[in-house]
Amino acid sequence: MKITDLKLDVVSIPRHTGFVCQHAIVRIMTDEGVTGLGEMSDFSHLPKYSVDVRDLEHTLKLQLVGRDPFDIVAVNRDMGDMFPETMYYYEKGTFIRCGVDIALHDLAGKALGVNISSLLGGRVRDKLKVCYPIFRARTMMEVEANVNVVRARLAQGFDVFRLYAGVNPDADEAFLDAVTREFGSRVTIKSLDFSHLLDWKSALRVTKRLAPYGVQLVESPATRNDFEGLRNFRMAVDLPVSEHVWSFKQQHDMIRYDAVDIFNIALIFIGGFGAARKAASAAEAAGKGVLIGTTQELSLGTAAQAIFGAGLTNLTAISDPTGPELYVNDVAAEPVRYENGYLLVPDASKPGLGIDIDWSKVERLRVDGFSWGDQKTANLQDRTSSV
């Protein structure tokens, strides 16, 4: 079997918040008629530079056409040379590598007639407990809208929430107070996510203020790559501390500094199944837990995240992939399913990812390429519309 072609289809889909995100659906075709599907998820992040989609498609074709799609390790090595780690967790190169890696695994599974779970060694669970994100309140006017989100999502079965915090602590506390008074023990706040916006001392002050509301853990409470600050924060709080993994050098440094309790691993931020499994193994060897992170993928990318999480033996915290619930549309013929706050792993009897694309939806949502227009920095950080 040989790869004969590669195509990138970019779709633009709004979130319920009003922010519009762009994703690339990856198709890798072969001479035996098997096509693998992947997703380069949610390119709408800072930094605001982009890639030319047609140039990227041409570059990937030159790299992949003629190769054996089962040579995934070799392809990933070459992709790492083309799109290297930069120690930045919104690095577009990892998004690109991730989309190709997922498509190759989907292709291999379909060619063999097995689910990707079988390629990765099987499953230890068929569902993942997940949390719904509450986006950062920059003004007090946004508090009630965020409480309304909790009301609506709790009615759908989501009883755990992750709060993006730190820019306006008064608004954060007002939200937590309102949620505690109205919902009590029916709602859990999984984490305060500071998104590297505060230095560790500032994050510590806010955490001490908000922790009494029953927060389970704290995420990204220091500026990017400040491993000493991250450790200082961890030593000063009783709550577990989590941080994203966006490069192996960065993960090595976090282990060396003993700076975290839980590694937040998302396929999109580390470059696909192969890289994510290495990161999870490194975490396990270091005695650390894992949670499955997210950039808020569509159903293709979310299915990949679910399959990855299904095979982990050190998944110790509630995870984050709820992307399909955030968007007003999807390109999947049947989107991934959520029940009672759990993400269901795609049926193990379905080959590859277990997700099919509705190409009529792709045609309706298609755009020429990636563009961010005049959206402000704060909107790109939080992927929310202006208030």
Side-chain angles (χ1 to χ4, degrees), residues 230-299:
L230 196 57
R231 174 181 167 77
N232 289 340
F233 179 92
R234 179 174 176 254
M235 293 298 101
V237 299
D238 291 330
L239 296 171
V241 174
S242 173
E243 183 56 278
H244 302 76
V245 179
W246 55 77
S247 83
F248 293 117
K249 172 62 168 62
Q250 175 244 5
Q251 186 181 29
H252 170 269
D253 287 342
M254 287 192 288
I255 292 172
R256 183 163 61 90
Y257 278 88
D258 198 17
V260 301
D261 301 284
I262 301 169
F263 285 110
N264 180 319
I265 302 176
L267 302 186
I268 195 73
F269 292 139
I270 194 65
F273 283 112
R277 293 182 73 200
K278 289 179 183 178
S281 295
E284 190 165 22
K288 305 295 184 181
V290 167
L291 67 84
I292 307 302
T294 188
T295 186
Q296 309 304 354
E297 300 82 359
L298 301 176
S299 281

Coordinates of all heavy atoms in Angstrom, one line a residue, residues 230-299:
L230 N 6.6 27.5 38.7 CA 5.6 26.5 38.8 C 5.8 25.6 40.0 O 4.9 25.3 40.7 CB 5.6 25.7 37.5 CG 4.4 24.8 37.2 CD1 3.1 25.6 37.1 CD2 4.7 24.0 35.9
R231 N 7.1 25.3 40.3 CA 7.4 24.5 41.5 C 7.1 25.3 42.8 O 6.5 24.7 43.7 CB 8.8 24.0 41.5 CG 9.2 23.3 42.8 CD 10.7 22.9 42.8 NE 11.1 22.5 44.1 CZ 10.7 21.3 44.7 NH1 10.0 20.4 44.1 NH2 11.1 21.1 46.0
N232 N 7.5 26.5 42.8 CA 7.2 27.4 43.9 C 5.7 27.4 44.2 O 5.3 27.3 45.4 CB 7.7 28.8 43.7 CG 9.2 28.9 43.7 OD1 9.9 28.0 44.3 ND2 9.8 29.9 43.2
F233 N 4.9 27.6 43.2 CA 3.5 27.6 43.4 C 3.0 26.2 43.9 O 2.2 26.2 44.9 CB 2.8 27.8 42.1 CG 1.3 27.9 42.2 CD1 0.6 29.0 42.4 CD2 0.5 26.7 42.0 CE1 -0.8 29.1 42.5 CE2 -0.9 26.7 42.2 CZ -1.5 27.9 42.4
R234 N 3.5 25.2 43.4 CA 3.1 23.8 43.8 C 3.4 23.6 45.3 O 2.6 23.0 46.0 CB 3.7 22.7 42.9 CG 3.4 21.3 43.3 CD 3.9 20.3 42.3 NE 3.7 19.0 42.8 CZ 4.6 18.1 43.3 NH1 5.9 18.5 43.4 NH2 4.3 16.9 43.7
M235 N 4.5 24.1 45.7 CA 5.0 23.9 47.1 C 4.1 24.7 48.1 O 4.1 24.4 49.3 CB 6.4 24.2 47.3 CG 7.4 23.2 46.6 SD 7.3 21.5 47.2 CE 6.3 20.8 45.9
A236 N 3.5 25.7 47.6 CA 2.7 26.7 48.4 C 1.3 26.4 48.5 O 0.6 27.1 49.3 CB 2.9 28.1 47.9
V237 N 0.7 25.4 47.8 CA -0.7 25.1 47.8 C -0.9 23.6 48.2 O 0.0 22.8 47.9 CB -1.4 25.4 46.5 CG1 -1.3 26.9 46.2 CG2 -0.8 24.6 45.3
D238 N -2.1 23.3 48.7 CA -2.4 21.9 49.0 C -3.1 21.2 47.8 O -3.3 20.0 47.8 CB -3.3 21.8 50.2 CG -2.6 22.2 51.5 OD1 -1.4 22.0 51.6 OD2 -3.3 22.8 52.4
L239 N -3.5 22.0 46.8 CA -4.2 21.5 45.6 C -3.2 20.9 44.6 O -2.1 21.4 44.5 CB -5.0 22.6 45.0 CG -6.2 23.2 45.8 CD1 -6.7 24.4 45.0 CD2 -7.3 22.1 46.0
P240 N -3.6 19.8 43.9 CA -2.8 19.4 42.8 C -2.6 20.4 41.7 O -3.5 21.3 41.5 CB -3.6 18.2 42.2 CG -4.5 17.8 43.3 CD -4.8 19.0 44.0
V241 N -1.5 20.4 41.1 CA -1.1 21.4 40.0 C -1.0 20.7 38.7 O -0.3 19.6 38.6 CB 0.2 22.2 40.4 CG1 0.6 23.1 39.2 CG2 -0.1 23.0 41.6
S242 N -1.6 21.2 37.7 CA -1.5 20.6 36.3 C -0.9 21.6 35.3 O -1.1 22.8 35.5 CB -2.9 20.2 35.9 OG -3.0 19.8 34.5
E243 N -0.2 21.0 34.3 CA 0.3 21.9 33.3 C 0.3 21.1 32.0 O 0.4 19.9 31.9 CB 1.8 22.3 33.6 CG 2.4 23.2 32.5 CD 1.5 24.5 32.3 OE1 0.6 24.4 31.5 OE2 1.9 25.5 32.8
H244 N 0.0 21.8 30.9 CA 0.0 21.2 29.5 C 1.4 20.7 29.2 O 2.4 21.3 29.6 CB -0.4 22.2 28.5 CG -1.8 22.8 28.8 ND1 -2.0 23.8 29.7 CD2 -3.0 22.6 28.2 CE1 -3.3 24.1 29.7 NE2 -3.9 23.4 28.8
V245 N 1.5 19.7 28.3 CA 2.7 19.2 27.7 C 2.7 19.7 26.3 O 1.9 19.3 25.5 CB 2.9 17.7 27.8 CG1 4.2 17.3 27.2 CG2 2.8 17.3 29.3
W246 N 3.7 20.5 25.9 CA 3.8 21.0 24.5 C 5.1 20.7 23.9 O 5.3 21.0 22.7 CB 3.4 22.5 24.4 CG 4.2 23.4 25.3 CD1 5.4 23.8 25.0 CD2 3.7 24.1 26.5 NE1 5.8 24.7 26.0 CE2 4.8 24.9 26.9 CE3 2.6 24.0 27.2 CZ2 4.7 25.7 28.0 CZ3 2.5 24.8 28.3 CH2 3.5 25.6 28.8
S247 N 6.0 20.1 24.6 CA 7.3 19.6 24.0 C 7.9 18.7 25.0 O 7.7 18.7 26.2 CB 8.2 20.8 23.7 OG 9.0 21.2 24.8
F248 N 8.8 17.8 24.5 CA 9.4 16.8 25.4 C 10.5 17.5 26.2 O 10.7 17.1 27.4 CB 10.0 15.7 24.6 CG 9.0 14.8 23.9 CD1 8.9 14.7 22.5 CD2 8.0 14.2 24.7 CE1 7.9 14.0 22.0 CE2 7.1 13.4 24.1 CZ 7.0 13.3 22.7
K249 N 11.1 18.6 25.7 CA 12.1 19.3 26.5 C 11.3 20.0 27.7 O 11.8 20.0 28.9 CB 12.7 20.4 25.7 CG 13.6 21.4 26.4 CD 14.8 20.7 27.1 CE 15.8 21.7 27.7 NZ 15.3 22.6 28.7
Q250 N 10.2 20.6 27.4 CA 9.4 21.2 28.5 C 8.9 20.2 29.5 O 9.0 20.4 30.7 CB 8.2 21.9 27.8 CG 7.3 22.6 28.8 CD 5.9 21.9 28.7 OE1 5.7 21.0 28.0 NE2 4.9 22.5 29.4
Q251 N 8.5 19.0 29.1 CA 8.1 18.0 30.0 C 9.3 17.5 30.9 O 9.1 17.3 32.1 CB 7.4 16.8 29.3 CG 6.9 15.8 30.3 CD 6.2 14.6 29.6 OE1 6.6 14.2 28.5 NE2 5.3 13.9 30.3
H252 N 10.4 17.3 30.2 CA 11.6 16.9 31.0 C 11.9 18.0 32.1 O 12.2 17.6 33.2 CB 12.8 16.8 30.0 CG 14.1 16.7 30.7 ND1 14.9 17.7 31.0 CD2 14.8 15.5 31.1 CE1 16.0 17.3 31.6 NE2 16.0 16.0 31.7
D253 N 11.8 19.2 31.7 CA 12.1 20.3 32.7 C 11.1 20.3 33.9 O 11.4 20.5 35.0 CB 12.2 21.6 32.1 CG 13.4 21.8 31.2 OD1 14.4 21.1 31.4 OD2 13.4 22.7 30.3
M254 N 9.8 20.0 33.5 CA 8.8 20.0 34.6 C 9.1 18.8 35.5 O 8.9 18.9 36.7 CB 7.4 19.9 34.0 CG 7.0 21.2 33.4 SD 5.2 21.3 33.0 CE 5.1 20.2 31.5
I255 N 9.5 17.7 35.0 CA 9.8 16.5 35.8 C 11.1 16.8 36.7 O 11.1 16.5 37.9 CB 10.0 15.3 34.9 CG1 8.7 14.8 34.3 CG2 10.6 14.1 35.8 CD1 8.8 13.7 33.3
R256 N 12.1 17.4 36.0 CA 13.3 17.7 36.7 C 13.1 18.7 37.9 O 13.7 18.5 39.0 CB 14.3 18.3 35.8 CG 15.7 18.6 36.4 CD 16.7 18.8 35.3 NE 16.4 19.9 34.4 CZ 16.8 21.1 34.6 NH1 17.6 21.4 35.7 NH2 16.6 22.1 33.8
Y257 N 12.2 19.7 37.7 CA 11.9 20.6 38.8 C 10.8 20.1 39.7 O 10.5 20.7 40.7 CB 11.4 21.9 38.2 CG 12.5 22.9 37.7 CD1 13.0 22.8 36.5 CD2 13.0 23.8 38.6 CE1 14.0 23.6 36.0 CE2 14.0 24.7 38.2 CZ 14.5 24.6 36.9 OH 15.5 25.5 36.5
D258 N 10.2 18.9 39.4 CA 9.1 18.4 40.2 C 8.0 19.4 40.4 O 7.5 19.7 41.5 CB 9.6 17.9 41.6 CG 8.6 16.9 42.2 OD1 7.7 16.4 41.5 OD2 8.7 16.7 43.5
A259 N 7.6 20.0 39.2 CA 6.8 21.2 39.2 C 5.3 21.0 39.1 O 4.5 21.9 39.3 CB 7.2 22.1 38.0
V260 N 4.9 19.7 38.8 CA 3.5 19.5 38.6 C 3.1 18.1 39.3 O 4.0 17.3 39.5 CB 3.1 19.4 37.1 CG1 3.4 20.8 36.5 CG2 3.8 18.3 36.4
D261 N 1.8 17.9 39.5 CA 1.3 16.7 39.9 C 0.6 15.9 38.8 O 0.7 14.7 38.7 CB 0.2 16.9 41.0 CG 0.8 17.6 42.2 OD1 1.5 17.0 43.0 OD2 0.5 18.8 42.3
I262 N 0.1 16.6 37.8 CA -0.7 16.1 36.7 C -0.3 16.7 35.4 O -0.3 17.9 35.3 CB -2.2 16.3 37.0 CG1 -2.7 15.6 38.3 CG2 -3.0 15.7 35.8 CD1 -4.1 16.0 38.7
F263 N 0.0 15.9 34.4 CA 0.3 16.4 33.1 C -0.9 16.4 32.3 O -1.7 15.4 32.1 CB 1.4 15.5 32.4 CG 2.8 15.7 33.0 CD1 3.4 14.7 33.7 CD2 3.4 16.9 32.7 CE1 4.7 14.9 34.2 CE2 4.7 17.1 33.2 CZ 5.3 16.1 34.0
N264 N -1.2 17.6 31.7 CA -2.3 17.8 30.8 C -1.8 17.5 29.4 O -1.0 18.2 28.8 CB -2.8 19.3 30.9 CG -4.0 19.6 30.0 OD1 -4.0 19.2 28.9 ND2 -4.9 20.4 30.5
I265 N -2.3 16.4 28.8 CA -1.8 15.9 27.5 C -2.9 16.0 26.5 O -4.0 15.3 26.7 CB -1.2 14.5 27.6 CG1 0.0 14.5 28.6 CG2 -0.7 14.1 26.2 CD1 0.5 13.1 28.8
A266 N -2.7 16.7 25.5 CA -3.7 16.8 24.3 C -2.9 16.4 23.1 O -1.8 16.9 22.9 CB -4.3 18.2 24.2
L267 N -3.5 15.6 22.2 CA -2.8 15.2 21.0 C -2.4 16.4 20.2 O -1.3 16.5 19.6 CB -3.8 14.4 20.1 CG -4.3 13.1 20.7 CD1 -5.1 12.3 19.6 CD2 -3.2 12.2 21.3
I268 N -3.3 17.5 20.2 CA -3.0 18.6 19.3 C -1.8 19.4 19.8 O -1.1 20.0 18.9 CB -4.3 19.5 19.3 CG1 -4.2 20.6 18.1 CG2 -4.5 20.2 20.6 CD1 -4.4 20.0 16.8
F269 N -1.5 19.4 21.1 CA -0.4 20.2 21.6 C 1.0 19.5 21.5 O 2.0 20.1 21.7 CB -0.7 20.7 23.0 CG -1.8 21.7 23.1 CD1 -2.7 21.6 24.1 CD2 -1.9 22.7 22.1 CE1 -3.8 22.6 24.2 CE2 -3.0 23.6 22.2 CZ -3.9 23.6 23.2
I270 N 0.9 18.2 21.3 CA 2.2 17.4 21.4 C 2.5 16.8 20.0 O 3.6 16.3 19.7 CB 2.2 16.4 22.5 CG1 3.6 15.9 22.8 CG2 1.2 15.3 22.3 CD1 4.6 16.9 23.2
G271 N 1.4 16.6 19.2 CA 1.7 16.2 17.8 C 1.1 14.8 17.4 O 1.6 14.2 16.5
G272 N 0.1 14.4 18.1 CA -0.6 13.1 17.7 C -0.4 12.0 18.7 O 0.1 12.1 19.8
F273 N -0.9 10.8 18.2 CA -1.0 9.6 19.1 C 0.4 9.2 19.6 O 0.6 9.0 20.8 CB -1.6 8.5 18.4 CG -3.1 8.5 18.3 CD1 -3.7 8.7 17.0 CD2 -3.9 8.3 19.4 CE1 -5.1 8.7 16.9 CE2 -5.3 8.3 19.3 CZ -5.8 8.5 18.0
G274 N 1.4 9.2 18.7 CA 2.7 8.7 19.0 C 3.4 9.5 20.1 O 3.9 9.0 21.1
A275 N 3.3 10.9 19.9 CA 4.0 11.8 20.8 C 3.2 11.8 22.1 O 3.8 11.8 23.2 CB 4.0 13.2 20.2
A276 N 1.9 11.7 22.1 CA 1.1 11.8 23.3 C 1.3 10.5 24.2 O 1.4 10.6 25.4 CB -0.4 11.9 23.0
R277 N 1.5 9.4 23.5 CA 1.8 8.1 24.3 C 3.1 8.2 25.0 O 3.3 7.7 26.1 CB 1.7 6.9 23.4 CG 0.3 6.7 22.8 CD 0.2 5.4 22.0 NE 0.3 4.2 22.8 CZ 0.7 3.1 22.3 NH1 1.1 2.9 21.1 NH2 0.8 2.0 23.1
K278 N 4.1 8.8 24.3 CA 5.4 9.0 24.9 C 5.3 9.9 26.1 O 5.9 9.6 27.2 CB 6.4 9.6 23.9 CG 6.8 8.7 22.8 CD 7.8 9.4 21.8 CE 8.2 8.5 20.7 NZ 9.1 9.3 19.7
A279 N 4.6 11.0 26.0 CA 4.4 11.9 27.1 C 3.7 11.2 28.3 O 4.1 11.5 29.4 CB 3.6 13.1 26.6
A280 N 2.7 10.4 28.0 CA 2.0 9.7 29.1 C 2.9 8.7 29.8 O 2.8 8.5 31.0 CB 0.7 9.1 28.5
S281 N 3.7 8.0 29.0 CA 4.6 7.1 29.6 C 5.7 7.8 30.4 O 6.0 7.3 31.5 CB 5.3 6.3 28.5 OG 4.4 5.5 27.7
A282 N 6.2 8.9 30.0 CA 7.1 9.7 30.8 C 6.5 10.1 32.1 O 7.1 10.1 33.2 CB 7.6 10.9 30.0
A283 N 5.2 10.5 32.0 CA 4.5 10.9 33.2 C 4.4 9.8 34.2 O 4.6 9.9 35.4 CB 3.1 11.5 32.9
E284 N 4.0 8.6 33.7 CA 3.9 7.4 34.5 C 5.2 7.0 35.2 O 5.3 6.7 36.4 CB 3.3 6.3 33.7 CG 2.9 5.1 34.6 CD 2.0 4.1 33.8 OE1 2.0 4.1 32.6 OE2 1.2 3.4 34.5
A285 N 6.3 7.1 34.4 CA 7.6 6.8 34.9 C 8.0 7.7 36.0 O 8.7 7.3 37.0 CB 8.6 6.8 33.8
A286 N 7.5 9.0 36.0 CA 7.9 10.0 37.0 C 6.9 10.0 38.1 O 7.0 10.8 39.1 CB 7.9 11.4 36.3
G287 N 5.9 9.1 38.1 CA 5.0 9.0 39.2 C 3.9 10.1 39.2 O 3.3 10.4 40.2
K288 N 3.6 10.6 37.9 CA 2.7 11.7 37.8 C 1.4 11.2 37.1 O 1.4 10.2 36.3 CB 3.3 12.8 36.9 CG 4.6 13.3 37.5 CD 4.5 14.0 38.8 CE 5.8 14.6 39.3 NZ 5.7 15.3 40.6
G289 N 0.3 11.8 37.4 CA -0.9 11.5 36.8 C -1.1 12.3 35.4 O -0.3 13.1 35.1
V290 N -2.2 12.0 34.7 CA -2.5 12.6 33.4 C -4.0 12.9 33.4 O -4.8 12.2 34.0 CB -2.2 11.6 32.3 CG1 -2.7 12.1 31.0 CG2 -0.6 11.4 32.1
L291 N -4.3 14.0 32.7 CA -5.6 14.3 32.3 C -5.6 14.6 30.8 O -4.5 15.0 30.3 CB -6.3 15.4 33.1 CG -5.8 16.9 33.0 CD1 -6.3 17.6 31.7 CD2 -6.1 17.7 34.2
I292 N -6.6 14.4 30.1 CA -6.7 14.6 28.7 C -7.1 16.0 28.4 O -8.2 16.4 28.8 CB -7.7 13.7 27.9 CG1 -7.3 12.2 28.3 CG2 -7.6 13.9 26.4 CD1 -5.9 11.8 28.0
G293 N -6.3 16.8 27.8 CA -6.6 18.2 27.6 C -7.3 18.4 26.3 O -7.8 17.5 25.7
T294 N -7.4 19.7 25.8 CA -8.2 19.9 24.6 C -7.8 21.3 24.1 O -7.4 22.2 24.8 CB -9.7 19.9 24.9 OG1 -10.4 20.0 23.7 CG2 -10.1 21.1 25.8
T295 N -8.0 21.5 22.8 CA -8.1 22.8 22.2 C -9.5 23.1 21.7 O -9.7 24.0 20.9 CB -7.1 23.0 21.0 OG1 -7.1 24.3 20.5 CG2 -7.4 22.0 19.9
Q296 N -10.4 22.2 22.1 CA -11.8 22.2 21.7 C -11.9 21.7 20.2 O -12.1 22.5 19.3 CB -12.5 23.5 21.9 CG -12.3 24.0 23.3 CD -12.8 23.1 24.4 OE1 -13.4 22.0 24.2 NE2 -12.6 23.4 25.7
E297 N -11.7 20.4 20.0 CA -11.7 19.8 18.7 C -13.1 19.6 18.2 O -14.1 19.6 19.0 CB -11.0 18.5 18.8 CG -9.5 18.5 19.2 CD -9.3 18.6 20.7 OE1 -10.3 18.7 21.5 OE2 -8.1 18.7 21.1
L298 N -13.3 19.3 17.0 CA -14.5 18.8 16.4 C -14.6 17.3 16.7 O -13.7 16.8 17.4 CB -14.6 19.0 14.9 CG -14.5 20.5 14.4 CD1 -14.5 20.6 12.9 CD2 -15.7 21.3 15.0
S299 N -15.6 16.6 16.2 CA -15.8 15.2 16.6 C -14.6 14.3 16.1 O -14.3 13.3 16.9 CB -17.1 14.7 16.0 OG -18.2 15.1 16.7

